[in-house]
Amino acid sequence: MALLYLTPTWPTDVWTNAMRKLAPGMDIRVWPDRVGNIADIRYAVAWLPPANVLRGLPNLSVIFSLGAGVDAILSDPTLPEATPIVRVNEPDLTMRMTEYVVLHVLMQHRQQRRLDQNQKQKIWDSFPTHGASDLAVGIMGLGVMGSDSAMRLRDLGFKVAGWSRTRRRIEGVHCYAGDAEFDAFLHRTDILVSLLPHTPATSGIINRETIRKLSRKGPFGAPIIINAGRGKQQVEADILAALDSGELHAATLDVFETEPLPPESPLWTHPKVTVTPHCAADSDPETISAYVLRQIRRHEAGEPLENVVDRARGY
Ligand code: NAP
Ligand code: GLV
């Protein structure tokens, strides 16, 4: 039984070393140079895998995504149809995302960028501030990540709502569901956070029309967006136009239509945009390797795999 690493954009050694520490006897292979006999490969761990590789593995029984999102794996048109895909659902990853969302909601709420600018210019301007309860945060995606962020923001005193495909129930969080309730969710939202997966249904969902439906009753007079879901959910030209017209107050973006964000993108230098390099929730090699190993051991023992992706839903 061999485990193949397919992580062309990541330093694979960090991952294989972490797995070797946990399972010294594991037969570890690395694409493309150390694949060996493909008939031995039973498991694959992947992040942005190249197309056509997975389908060429005749005895593959499970594909592990090294992240929570599986859009890059599902976008391979040659993906073997029956092989289960297991995604990451790990408290460490969730906590990292919650930290990011809370940090950026607070940064916008407390106007930290304005304070940073003032400090650079030695300006003592103690402008009036507002309370958390004056701001309505709306989280698109109330899954593992979205629900945790929602609860933490609720506990900080924000008015929190969430929107998901099917109805969720979270105490103290107004839960909207489905396309029919999308507009009502947007109308009450001052800070829109995306923690959606990228699927055909969520592609381009953060567009000019969506932005125009957001609340303008909040303390900043225009809404704010925070996208830590996937870049293909946002129409960057629409975000820039809305920022320049004043329809949008500010944006924090961790994910982009093209990654890495090209140097010529105006998002890099826009005064109302905070750019982070897809680091909202990094997969920690030791924690996630332990998670993968746990799943392999379950599978070998004939127990069901956890967090198997529903291919029909796309996440
Ligand atoms: P999850 O548990 O699968 O939750 C996904 C949520 O999105 C669910 O609430 C789901 O609704 C909702 N949803 C999906 N399609 C929808 C649609 N068409 N309309 C409305 N709601 C929809 O996923 P997760 O673990 O929270 O992760 C979410 C995403 O975060 C990942 O897919 C990934 O793209 C992103 N992520 C980014 C980073 C980063 O560093 N930037 C790190 C980790 C994850 P239901 O509840 O009805 O199923
Ligand atoms: C990161 O983007 C992930 O999907 O875990």
Side-chain angles (χ1 to χ4, degrees):
M1 183 273 278
L3 171 63
L4 175 70
Y5 280 79
L6 263 171
T7 57
T9 60
W10 281 0
T12 308
D13 283 358
V14 181
W15 286 89
T16 52
N17 290 344
M19 184 56 89
R20 274 200 190 95
K21 231 162 95 186
L22 294 167
M26 178 85 77
D27 180 356
I28 291 177
R29 313 282 178 86
V30 178
W31 184 88
D33 302 328
R34 285 177 281 150
V35 175
N37 180 358
I38 55 170
D40 302 337
I41 296 167
R42 185 115 195 263
Y43 301 102
V45 292
W47 186 251
L48 302 182
N52 287 314
V53 178
L54 290 164
R55 76 143 174 208
L57 304 173
N59 297 317
L60 185 65
S61 56
V62 186
I63 299 165
F64 294 100
S65 164
L66 285 184
V70 289
D71 43 312
I73 294 177
L74 294 179
S75 70
D76 176 356
T78 66
L79 198 64
E81 269 168 37
T83 313
I85 302 166
V86 171
R87 72 185 197 94
V88 173
N89 172 359
E90 243 295 321
D92 175 73
L93 192 75
T94 306
M95 193 61 223
R96 288 171 190 236
M97 180 58 87
T98 298
E99 287 171 3
Y100 183 90
V101 171
V102 171
L103 171 70
H104 286 276
V105 167
L106 286 175
M107 195 191 76
Q108 300 288 359
H109 159 56
R110 299 302 305 247
Q111 305 182 64
Q112 188 58 45
R113 287 194 55 157
R114 180 172 170 182
L115 292 164
D116 290 342
Q117 283 305 323
N118 286 349
Q119 183 181 348
K120 271 187 204 138
Q121 296 171 62
K122 301 183 182 170
I123 296 173
W124 184 273
D125 175 17
S126 57
F127 50 80
T129 55
H130 52 268
S133 61
D134 294 329
L135 270 166
V137 180
I139 301 182
M140 296 198 288
L142 277 183
V144 174
M145 309 250 165
S147 55
D148 196 63
S149 290
M151 289 187 281
R152 308 274 179 170
L153 290 166
R154 171 203 65 193
D155 293 346
L156 285 170
F158 293 97
K159 287 181 284 195
V160 183
W163 177 69
S164 48
R165 211 172 42 82
T166 57
R167 179 89 52 210
R168 295 284 175 139
R169 289 188 207 292
I170 305 171
E171 203 186 324
V173 175
H174 192 134
C175 295
Y176 295 83
D179 292 345
E181 296 178 16
F182 189 46
D183 285 4
F185 162 76
L186 295 176
H187 289 321
R188 52 77 61 202
T189 294
D190 300 317
I191 299 187
L192 180 71
V193 179
S194 178
L195 289 175
L196 287 167
H198 174 231
T199 68
T202 66
S203 190
I205 193 166
I206 308 172
N207 56 38
R208 198 76 182 262
E209 201 189 332
T210 299
I211 291 167
R212 285 186 170 146
K213 288 176 184 165
L214 291 166
S215 162
R216 277 162 181 80
K217 295 191 203 113
F220 302 116
I224 292 164
I225 55 172
I226 297 174
N227 186 8
R230 279 288 183 267
K232 296 271 192 290
Q233 289 159 19
Q234 71 202 17
V235 180
E236 289 170 9
D238 286 7
I239 292 173
L240 284 160
L243 286 165
D244 291 339
S245 69
E247 285 169 295
L248 203 54
H249 179 73
T252 289
L253 305 174
D254 183 57
V255 287
F256 301 91
E257 286 174 8
T258 303
E259 294 182 13
L261 182 63
E264 63 277 14
S265 169
L267 292 169
W268 279 113
T269 49
H270 198 289
K272 297 178 180 172
V273 179
T274 301
V275 167
T276 57
H278 198 143
C279 63
D282 272 343
S283 292
D284 173 65
E286 298 213 351
T287 314
I288 306 303
S289 298
Y291 170 84
V292 169
L293 188 58
R294 215 163 52 236
Q295 297 290 331
I296 290 176
R297 288 190 174 142
R298 285 178 71 89
H299 190 66
E300 297 279 306
E303 291 168 32
L305 294 161
E306 296 166 316
N307 306 308
V308 175
V309 171
D310 179 336
R311 291 211 199 183
R313 282 187 331 187
Y315 62 98

CSV table of all heavy atoms in Angstrom, one decimal, residues 26-78:
chain,number,residue,atom,x,y,z
A,26,MET,N,5.4,3.9,6.4
A,26,MET,CA,4.5,4.2,5.2
A,26,MET,C,5.3,4.3,3.9
A,26,MET,O,6.4,4.9,3.9
A,26,MET,CB,3.8,5.6,5.5
A,26,MET,CG,2.9,6.0,4.3
A,26,MET,SD,1.2,5.3,4.4
A,26,MET,CE,0.5,6.3,5.7
A,27,ASP,N,4.8,3.7,2.9
A,27,ASP,CA,5.5,3.7,1.5
A,27,ASP,C,5.0,5.0,0.9
A,27,ASP,O,3.8,5.1,0.4
A,27,ASP,CB,5.0,2.5,0.7
A,27,ASP,CG,5.6,2.5,-0.7
A,27,ASP,OD1,6.3,3.4,-1.0
A,27,ASP,OD2,5.4,1.4,-1.4
A,28,ILE,N,5.8,6.0,0.9
A,28,ILE,CA,5.4,7.4,0.4
A,28,ILE,C,6.0,7.6,-1.0
A,28,ILE,O,7.2,7.4,-1.2
A,28,ILE,CB,5.9,8.5,1.4
A,28,ILE,CG1,5.1,8.3,2.7
A,28,ILE,CG2,5.8,9.9,0.8
A,28,ILE,CD1,5.4,9.3,3.8
A,29,ARG,N,5.2,8.0,-1.9
A,29,ARG,CA,5.6,8.4,-3.3
A,29,ARG,C,5.3,9.8,-3.5
A,29,ARG,O,4.4,10.4,-2.9
A,29,ARG,CB,4.8,7.5,-4.3
A,29,ARG,CG,4.8,6.0,-4.0
A,29,ARG,CD,6.1,5.3,-4.3
A,29,ARG,NE,6.0,3.9,-3.9
A,29,ARG,CZ,5.5,2.9,-4.7
A,29,ARG,NH1,5.1,3.2,-5.9
A,29,ARG,NH2,5.5,1.7,-4.3
A,30,VAL,N,6.0,10.4,-4.5
A,30,VAL,CA,5.8,11.8,-4.8
A,30,VAL,C,5.7,12.0,-6.3
A,30,VAL,O,6.6,11.5,-7.0
A,30,VAL,CB,7.0,12.7,-4.2
A,30,VAL,CG1,6.8,14.2,-4.6
A,30,VAL,CG2,7.1,12.6,-2.7
A,31,TRP,N,4.7,12.7,-6.7
A,31,TRP,CA,4.5,13.0,-8.1
A,31,TRP,C,5.4,14.3,-8.5
A,31,TRP,O,5.3,15.2,-7.7
A,31,TRP,CB,3.0,13.3,-8.5
A,31,TRP,CG,2.8,13.5,-9.9
A,31,TRP,CD1,2.6,12.6,-10.9
A,31,TRP,CD2,2.8,14.8,-10.6
A,31,TRP,NE1,2.4,13.2,-12.1
A,31,TRP,CE2,2.6,14.5,-11.9
A,31,TRP,CE3,3.0,16.1,-10.2
A,31,TRP,CZ2,2.5,15.6,-12.9
A,31,TRP,CZ3,3.0,17.1,-11.1
A,31,TRP,CH2,2.7,16.8,-12.5
A,32,PRO,N,6.1,14.4,-9.6
A,32,PRO,CA,6.2,13.4,-10.7
A,32,PRO,C,7.4,12.5,-10.6
A,32,PRO,O,7.5,11.5,-11.4
A,32,PRO,CB,6.3,14.3,-11.9
A,32,PRO,CG,7.0,15.5,-11.4
A,32,PRO,CD,6.7,15.7,-10.0
A,33,ASP,N,8.4,12.8,-9.7
A,33,ASP,CA,9.7,12.1,-9.8
A,33,ASP,C,9.8,10.8,-9.0
A,33,ASP,O,10.6,9.9,-9.4
A,33,ASP,CB,10.8,13.0,-9.2
A,33,ASP,CG,10.8,14.3,-10.0
A,33,ASP,OD1,10.5,14.3,-11.2
A,33,ASP,OD2,11.1,15.4,-9.4
A,34,ARG,N,9.0,10.6,-8.0
A,34,ARG,CA,9.1,9.4,-7.2
A,34,ARG,C,7.8,8.6,-7.1
A,34,ARG,O,7.2,8.4,-6.0
A,34,ARG,CB,9.6,9.7,-5.8
A,34,ARG,CG,11.1,10.1,-5.8
A,34,ARG,CD,11.6,10.5,-4.4
A,34,ARG,NE,11.2,11.9,-4.1
A,34,ARG,CZ,10.9,12.4,-2.9
A,34,ARG,NH1,11.0,11.6,-1.8
A,34,ARG,NH2,10.6,13.6,-2.7
A,35,VAL,N,7.2,8.3,-8.3
A,35,VAL,CA,5.9,7.7,-8.3
A,35,VAL,C,6.1,6.1,-8.2
A,35,VAL,O,5.3,5.5,-7.6
A,35,VAL,CB,5.2,8.0,-9.6
A,35,VAL,CG1,3.9,7.3,-9.7
A,35,VAL,CG2,4.9,9.5,-9.6
A,36,GLY,N,7.1,5.6,-8.7
A,36,GLY,CA,7.3,4.1,-8.7
A,36,GLY,C,6.3,3.4,-9.4
A,36,GLY,O,5.6,3.9,-10.4
A,37,ASN,N,6.0,2.1,-9.0
A,37,ASN,CA,5.0,1.3,-9.6
A,37,ASN,C,3.6,1.8,-9.3
A,37,ASN,O,3.2,1.8,-8.1
A,37,ASN,CB,5.2,-0.2,-9.2
A,37,ASN,CG,4.2,-1.1,-9.8
A,37,ASN,OD1,3.3,-0.7,-10.6
A,37,ASN,ND2,4.2,-2.4,-9.5
A,38,ILE,N,2.9,2.3,-10.3
A,38,ILE,CA,1.6,2.9,-9.9
A,38,ILE,C,0.5,1.9,-9.4
A,38,ILE,O,-0.4,2.3,-8.7
A,38,ILE,CB,1.0,3.7,-11.2
A,38,ILE,CG1,0.8,2.7,-12.4
A,38,ILE,CG2,1.7,4.9,-11.5
A,38,ILE,CD1,0.0,3.3,-13.5
A,39,ALA,N,0.8,0.6,-9.6
A,39,ALA,CA,-0.2,-0.4,-9.1
A,39,ALA,C,-0.2,-0.4,-7.6
A,39,ALA,O,-1.1,-0.8,-6.9
A,39,ALA,CB,0.1,-1.7,-9.7
A,40,ASP,N,0.9,0.1,-6.9
A,40,ASP,CA,1.0,0.0,-5.5
A,40,ASP,C,0.2,1.2,-4.8
A,40,ASP,O,-0.1,1.1,-3.6
A,40,ASP,CB,2.5,0.3,-5.0
A,40,ASP,CG,3.4,-0.7,-5.6
A,40,ASP,OD1,3.0,-1.8,-5.9
A,40,ASP,OD2,4.6,-0.4,-5.6
A,41,ILE,N,-0.1,2.2,-5.6
A,41,ILE,CA,-0.7,3.4,-5.0
A,41,ILE,C,-2.2,3.2,-4.6
A,41,ILE,O,-3.0,3.0,-5.5
A,41,ILE,CB,-0.5,4.6,-5.9
A,41,ILE,CG1,1.0,4.9,-6.0
A,41,ILE,CG2,-1.2,5.9,-5.3
A,41,ILE,CD1,1.4,5.8,-7.1
A,42,ARG,N,-2.5,3.3,-3.3
A,42,ARG,CA,-3.9,3.1,-2.9
A,42,ARG,C,-4.5,4.4,-2.4
A,42,ARG,O,-5.7,4.6,-2.5
A,42,ARG,CB,-3.7,2.1,-1.7
A,42,ARG,CG,-5.0,1.6,-1.1
A,42,ARG,CD,-5.2,0.1,-1.2
A,42,ARG,NE,-6.6,-0.2,-0.9
A,42,ARG,CZ,-7.0,-0.6,0.3
A,42,ARG,NH1,-6.1,-0.8,1.2
A,42,ARG,NH2,-8.3,-0.9,0.5
A,43,TYR,N,-3.6,5.3,-2.0
A,43,TYR,CA,-4.1,6.6,-1.5
A,43,TYR,C,-3.4,7.8,-2.2
A,43,TYR,O,-2.2,7.6,-2.4
A,43,TYR,CB,-4.0,6.7,0.0
A,43,TYR,CG,-4.7,5.6,0.8
A,43,TYR,CD1,-4.0,4.5,1.3
A,43,TYR,CD2,-6.0,5.7,0.9
A,43,TYR,CE1,-4.6,3.5,1.9
A,43,TYR,CE2,-6.7,4.6,1.6
A,43,TYR,CZ,-6.0,3.6,2.1
A,43,TYR,OH,-6.7,2.6,2.7
A,44,ALA,N,-4.1,8.9,-2.4
A,44,ALA,CA,-3.4,10.1,-2.9
A,44,ALA,C,-3.8,11.3,-2.1
A,44,ALA,O,-5.0,11.4,-1.7
A,44,ALA,CB,-3.8,10.3,-4.4
A,45,VAL,N,-2.8,12.1,-1.8
A,45,VAL,CA,-3.1,13.4,-1.1
A,45,VAL,C,-2.8,14.5,-2.1
A,45,VAL,O,-1.8,14.5,-2.8
A,45,VAL,CB,-2.4,13.6,0.2
A,45,VAL,CG1,-2.8,12.7,1.3
A,45,VAL,CG2,-0.9,13.5,0.0
A,46,ALA,N,-3.8,15.4,-2.3
A,46,ALA,CA,-3.7,16.3,-3.4
A,46,ALA,C,-4.0,17.8,-3.0
A,46,ALA,O,-4.8,18.0,-2.2
A,46,ALA,CB,-4.6,15.9,-4.5
A,47,TRP,N,-3.2,18.7,-3.6
A,47,TRP,CA,-3.6,20.1,-3.6
A,47,TRP,C,-3.3,20.6,-5.0
A,47,TRP,O,-2.1,20.5,-5.4
A,47,TRP,CB,-2.8,20.9,-2.5
A,47,TRP,CG,-3.3,22.3,-2.4
A,47,TRP,CD1,-2.7,23.4,-2.8
A,47,TRP,CD2,-4.6,22.7,-2.0
A,47,TRP,NE1,-3.4,24.5,-2.6
A,47,TRP,CE2,-4.6,24.1,-2.1
A,47,TRP,CE3,-5.7,22.1,-1.5
A,47,TRP,CZ2,-5.8,24.9,-1.7
A,47,TRP,CZ3,-6.8,22.8,-1.1
A,47,TRP,CH2,-6.8,24.2,-1.2
A,48,LEU,N,-4.2,21.2,-5.7
A,48,LEU,CA,-4.1,21.6,-7.1
A,48,LEU,C,-3.5,20.5,-7.9
A,48,LEU,O,-2.4,20.8,-8.6
A,48,LEU,CB,-3.3,22.9,-7.2
A,48,LEU,CG,-3.9,24.1,-6.4
A,48,LEU,CD1,-3.0,25.4,-6.6
A,48,LEU,CD2,-5.3,24.5,-6.8
A,49,PRO,N,-4.0,19.3,-8.0
A,49,PRO,CA,-3.4,18.3,-8.7
A,49,PRO,C,-3.5,18.5,-10.2
A,49,PRO,O,-4.5,19.0,-10.7
A,49,PRO,CB,-4.2,17.0,-8.3
A,49,PRO,CG,-5.5,17.6,-7.9
A,49,PRO,CD,-5.3,18.9,-7.3
A,50,PRO,N,-2.5,18.1,-11.0
A,50,PRO,CA,-2.6,18.3,-12.4
A,50,PRO,C,-3.6,17.3,-13.0
A,50,PRO,O,-3.8,16.2,-12.4
A,50,PRO,CB,-1.2,17.9,-12.9
A,50,PRO,CG,-0.5,17.2,-11.8
A,50,PRO,CD,-1.2,17.6,-10.5
A,51,ALA,N,-4.3,17.7,-14.1
A,51,ALA,CA,-5.3,16.8,-14.7
A,51,ALA,C,-4.7,15.5,-15.2
A,51,ALA,O,-3.5,15.5,-15.4
A,51,ALA,CB,-6.0,17.5,-15.8
A,52,ASN,N,-5.5,14.4,-15.3
A,52,ASN,CA,-5.0,13.2,-15.9
A,52,ASN,C,-4.2,12.3,-15.0
A,52,ASN,O,-4.0,11.1,-15.3
A,52,ASN,CB,-4.2,13.4,-17.2
A,52,ASN,CG,-5.1,13.8,-18.3
A,52,ASN,OD1,-6.2,13.3,-18.5
A,52,ASN,ND2,-4.7,14.9,-19.0
A,53,VAL,N,-3.7,12.8,-13.9
A,53,VAL,CA,-2.8,11.9,-13.1
A,53,VAL,C,-3.6,10.9,-12.3
A,53,VAL,O,-3.3,9.7,-12.3
A,53,VAL,CB,-1.9,12.7,-12.1
A,53,VAL,CG1,-1.0,11.8,-11.3
A,53,VAL,CG2,-1.0,13.7,-13.0
A,54,LEU,N,-4.6,11.4,-11.6
A,54,LEU,CA,-5.4,10.5,-10.7
A,54,LEU,C,-6.0,9.4,-11.4
A,54,LEU,O,-6.1,8.3,-10.9
A,54,LEU,CB,-6.4,11.3,-9.9
A,54,LEU,CG,-5.8,12.3,-8.8
A,54,LEU,CD1,-6.8,13.3,-8.4
A,54,LEU,CD2,-5.3,11.5,-7.6
A,55,ARG,N,-6.5,9.7,-12.6
A,55,ARG,CA,-7.3,8.6,-13.3
A,55,ARG,C,-6.3,7.5,-13.8
A,55,ARG,O,-6.8,6.4,-14.2
A,55,ARG,CB,-8.0,9.2,-14.5
A,55,ARG,CG,-7.1,9.6,-15.7
A,55,ARG,CD,-7.8,9.3,-17.0
A,55,ARG,NE,-7.0,9.8,-18.1
A,55,ARG,CZ,-7.4,10.1,-19.2
A,55,ARG,NH1,-8.7,10.1,-19.5
A,55,ARG,NH2,-6.6,10.6,-20.2
A,56,GLY,N,-5.0,7.8,-13.8
A,56,GLY,CA,-4.1,6.8,-14.3
A,56,GLY,C,-3.6,5.8,-13.2
A,56,GLY,O,-2.8,5.0,-13.4
A,57,LEU,N,-4.2,5.9,-12.0
A,57,LEU,CA,-3.8,5.1,-10.9
A,57,LEU,C,-4.8,4.0,-10.7
A,57,LEU,O,-5.9,4.2,-10.2
A,57,LEU,CB,-3.7,5.9,-9.6
A,57,LEU,CG,-2.8,7.2,-9.7
A,57,LEU,CD1,-2.9,8.0,-8.4
A,57,LEU,CD2,-1.3,6.8,-9.9
A,58,PRO,N,-4.5,2.7,-11.1
A,58,PRO,CA,-5.5,1.7,-11.2
A,58,PRO,C,-6.1,1.2,-9.9
A,58,PRO,O,-7.2,0.7,-9.9
A,58,PRO,CB,-4.7,0.5,-12.0
A,58,PRO,CG,-3.3,0.8,-11.7
A,58,PRO,CD,-3.1,2.3,-11.5
A,59,ASN,N,-5.3,1.3,-8.8
A,59,ASN,CA,-5.8,0.8,-7.5
A,59,ASN,C,-6.0,1.9,-6.5
A,59,ASN,O,-6.0,1.6,-5.3
A,59,ASN,CB,-4.8,-0.2,-7.0
A,59,ASN,CG,-4.6,-1.4,-8.0
A,59,ASN,OD1,-5.6,-1.9,-8.5
A,59,ASN,ND2,-3.4,-1.8,-8.2
A,60,LEU,N,-6.3,3.1,-7.0
A,60,LEU,CA,-6.5,4.2,-6.0
A,60,LEU,C,-7.9,4.0,-5.3
A,60,LEU,O,-8.9,3.8,-6.0
A,60,LEU,CB,-6.6,5.5,-6.9
A,60,LEU,CG,-6.7,6.8,-6.1
A,60,LEU,CD1,-5.5,7.0,-5.2
A,60,LEU,CD2,-6.9,8.0,-7.0
A,61,SER,N,-7.9,4.0,-4.0
A,61,SER,CA,-9.2,3.9,-3.3
A,61,SER,C,-9.6,5.1,-2.6
A,61,SER,O,-10.8,5.2,-2.3
A,61,SER,CB,-9.2,2.7,-2.4
A,61,SER,OG,-8.2,2.8,-1.4
A,62,VAL,N,-8.8,6.1,-2.3
A,62,VAL,CA,-9.3,7.3,-1.7
A,62,VAL,C,-8.4,8.5,-2.1
A,62,VAL,O,-7.1,8.3,-2.2
A,62,VAL,CB,-9.2,7.3,-0.1
A,62,VAL,CG1,-9.8,8.6,0.5
A,62,VAL,CG2,-9.9,6.1,0.5
A,63,ILE,N,-9.0,9.6,-2.4
A,63,ILE,CA,-8.3,10.9,-2.7
A,63,ILE,C,-8.5,11.8,-1.4
A,63,ILE,O,-9.6,12.1,-1.0
A,63,ILE,CB,-8.8,11.6,-3.9
A,63,ILE,CG1,-8.6,10.6,-5.1
A,63,ILE,CG2,-8.1,12.9,-4.2
A,63,ILE,CD1,-9.5,11.1,-6.4
A,64,PHE,N,-7.4,12.3,-0.9
A,64,PHE,CA,-7.5,13.2,0.2
A,64,PHE,C,-7.1,14.6,-0.3
A,64,PHE,O,-6.0,14.8,-0.8
A,64,PHE,CB,-6.5,12.9,1.4
A,64,PHE,CG,-6.8,11.6,2.0
A,64,PHE,CD1,-6.2,10.4,1.7
A,64,PHE,CD2,-7.8,11.5,3.0
A,64,PHE,CE1,-6.5,9.2,2.3
A,64,PHE,CE2,-8.2,10.3,3.6
A,64,PHE,CZ,-7.5,9.2,3.2
A,65,SER,N,-8.0,15.6,0.0
A,65,SER,CA,-7.7,17.0,-0.3
A,65,SER,C,-6.9,17.5,0.9
A,65,SER,O,-7.3,17.2,2.0
A,65,SER,CB,-9.0,17.8,-0.5
A,65,SER,OG,-8.7,19.2,-0.4
A,66,LEU,N,-5.9,18.3,0.6
A,66,LEU,CA,-5.1,18.9,1.8
A,66,LEU,C,-5.8,20.2,2.3
A,66,LEU,O,-5.2,20.8,3.1
A,66,LEU,CB,-3.7,19.1,1.4
A,66,LEU,CG,-2.9,17.8,1.3
A,66,LEU,CD1,-1.4,18.1,1.0
A,66,LEU,CD2,-3.0,17.0,2.6
A,67,GLY,N,-6.9,20.5,1.8
A,67,GLY,CA,-7.7,21.7,2.3
A,67,GLY,C,-9.1,21.3,2.4
A,67,GLY,O,-9.6,20.2,2.1
A,68,ALA,N,-9.9,22.3,2.9
A,68,ALA,CA,-11.3,22.2,3.1
A,68,ALA,C,-12.0,22.2,1.7
A,68,ALA,O,-13.0,21.5,1.5
A,68,ALA,CB,-11.9,23.2,4.0
A,69,GLY,N,-11.5,23.0,0.8
A,69,GLY,CA,-12.1,23.2,-0.5
A,69,GLY,C,-11.6,22.1,-1.5
A,69,GLY,O,-10.4,21.7,-1.4
A,70,VAL,N,-12.5,21.7,-2.3
A,70,VAL,CA,-12.1,20.6,-3.3
A,70,VAL,C,-12.3,21.0,-4.7
A,70,VAL,O,-12.3,20.1,-5.6
A,70,VAL,CB,-12.9,19.3,-2.9
A,70,VAL,CG1,-12.4,18.7,-1.7
A,70,VAL,CG2,-14.4,19.6,-2.9
A,71,ASP,N,-12.6,22.3,-5.0
A,71,ASP,CA,-12.9,22.7,-6.3
A,71,ASP,C,-11.8,22.4,-7.3
A,71,ASP,O,-12.0,22.0,-8.4
A,71,ASP,CB,-13.2,24.2,-6.3
A,71,ASP,CG,-12.2,25.0,-5.5
A,71,ASP,OD1,-12.0,24.7,-4.3
A,71,ASP,OD2,-11.7,26.1,-6.0
A,72,ALA,N,-10.5,22.5,-6.9
A,72,ALA,CA,-9.4,22.2,-7.8
A,72,ALA,C,-9.3,20.7,-8.2
A,72,ALA,O,-9.0,20.4,-9.3
A,72,ALA,CB,-8.1,22.6,-7.2
A,73,ILE,N,-9.7,19.9,-7.2
A,73,ILE,CA,-9.7,18.4,-7.5
A,73,ILE,C,-10.9,18.1,-8.4
A,73,ILE,O,-10.8,17.4,-9.5
A,73,ILE,CB,-9.8,17.6,-6.2
A,73,ILE,CG1,-8.5,17.8,-5.4
A,73,ILE,CG2,-10.0,16.1,-6.5
A,73,ILE,CD1,-8.5,17.1,-4.0
A,74,LEU,N,-12.1,18.7,-8.1
A,74,LEU,CA,-13.3,18.4,-8.9
A,74,LEU,C,-13.2,18.9,-10.3
A,74,LEU,O,-13.9,18.5,-11.2
A,74,LEU,CB,-14.5,18.9,-8.2
A,74,LEU,CG,-14.9,18.2,-6.9
A,74,LEU,CD1,-16.1,18.8,-6.3
A,74,LEU,CD2,-15.1,16.7,-7.1
A,75,SER,N,-12.3,19.9,-10.5
A,75,SER,CA,-12.2,20.5,-11.8
A,75,SER,C,-11.5,19.7,-12.8
A,75,SER,O,-11.4,20.0,-14.0
A,75,SER,CB,-11.6,21.9,-11.8
A,75,SER,OG,-10.2,21.8,-11.5
A,76,ASP,N,-10.9,18.6,-12.4
A,76,ASP,CA,-10.2,17.6,-13.3
A,76,ASP,C,-11.3,16.8,-14.0
A,76,ASP,O,-11.9,16.0,-13.4
A,76,ASP,CB,-9.3,16.7,-12.4
A,76,ASP,CG,-8.6,15.7,-13.3
A,76,ASP,OD1,-8.9,15.6,-14.5
A,76,ASP,OD2,-7.7,14.9,-12.7
A,77,PRO,N,-11.5,17.0,-15.3
A,77,PRO,CA,-12.5,16.3,-16.0
A,77,PRO,C,-12.3,14.8,-16.1
A,77,PRO,O,-13.2,14.0,-16.4
A,77,PRO,CB,-12.6,16.9,-17.4
A,77,PRO,CG,-11.2,17.6,-17.6
A,77,PRO,CD,-10.7,17.9,-16.2
A,78,THR,N,-11.0,14.4,-15.8
A,78,THR,CA,-10.7,13.0,-15.9
A,78,THR,C,-10.7,12.3,-14.6
A,78,THR,O,-10.3,11.1,-14.5
A,78,THR,CB,-9.3,12.8,-16.6
A,78,THR,OG1,-8.3,13.3,-15.6
A,78,THR,CG2,-9.2,13.6,-17.9
